[in-house]
Amino acid sequence: MIYSNRAQWLGAEKKRVALFGMSGLGKTWAANLLRDEGWFHYSVDYRIGTRYMGEYIADNFKREAMKNPFLAELLLSDSVYIASNITFENLAPLSTYLGKPGDPAKGGLPFDEYLHRQTQHREAEMAALLDTKHFIERAEDIYGIGNFLCDSGGSICEVVDPEDPEDPILTALSQNLLMVWIEGSDAHTEELVKRFDRAPKPMYYQPQFLAAKWTEYRDLKGVSEDKVDPDDFVRWTYAQALAHRQPRYAAMAANWGVKIRAEDLYLVRNGKDFTSLIADTLPV
């Protein structure tokens, strides 16, 4: 690890951390808190949605606009400009592009197209994670900021192999930052499932997991691919996806970093609190 003990972390002039864990447990909240205290906030999802998938997202908007004769005429004459307004807090353009598989009449995508977009996201996420070192250097070179927080997406565990000591992404990250897992409790998981059930959102899945669940769901429901209810499928899959990710997060923390409890992170009120919380995870 980049900081091998408590004293090294506390004495470090430049503190660099990568937070990972389930979406909704406080990664972006913590990043925003620390940004107000002078830390640099690198959002992997924002990087994906702007640098690597921004063109895909904008082209999808334009494709939909071309179905409307009024907007089509304006687009063809360069009279209107269509772009994504993605922000650190609003990643809806990215998740909307990913979409959900199933019945087109219910907003679903053909499964082949859905898989294509999943592959695009996987490649983009891997590239965005490997960009972290560049942004560490950029933060210091341009802005003079040494304290750095990488706010990773919930699907980081799906694009790395935490059991491989030579995994290229985890190697690159751990050489430059302290990897910190935000571990949620059963109560947190239950709340995340309830929240997702109220408003199911697109997400990225590991290919093997997705293929197995797509087949299992269709067999269970007795429906063809084009008759799958997109929202019902992602609701049915979500809790299973969380369970699938949990041991992968745990292995990342055990082999590549440390862990903190989500309930302890929620008590953090400033940079000093955060520094102390991380210090408590490191050996003396």
Side-chain angles (χ1 to χ4, degrees), residues 23 36 39 48 67 73 82 114 119 122 127 137-139 144 152 154 162 177 190 194 233 245 258 260 273 276:
S23 295
D36 290 342
W39 286 56
I48 292 170
K67 297 175 184 179
E73 183 178 349
I82 295 179
Y114 180 69
T119 299
R122 178 181 182 84
E137 295 168 348
R138 188 167 178 253
S152 74
L177 311 98
E190 184 179 344
K194 288 180 180 177
F233 171 72
R245 288 180 175 183
V258 298
I260 58 176
D273 288 350
S276 296

Side-chain angles (χ1 to χ4, degrees), residues 86-98:
I86 195 167
T87 66
F88 286 178
E89 288 77 23
N90 180 16
L91 299 164
L94 174 58
S95 62
T96 299
Y97 176 75
L98 273 180

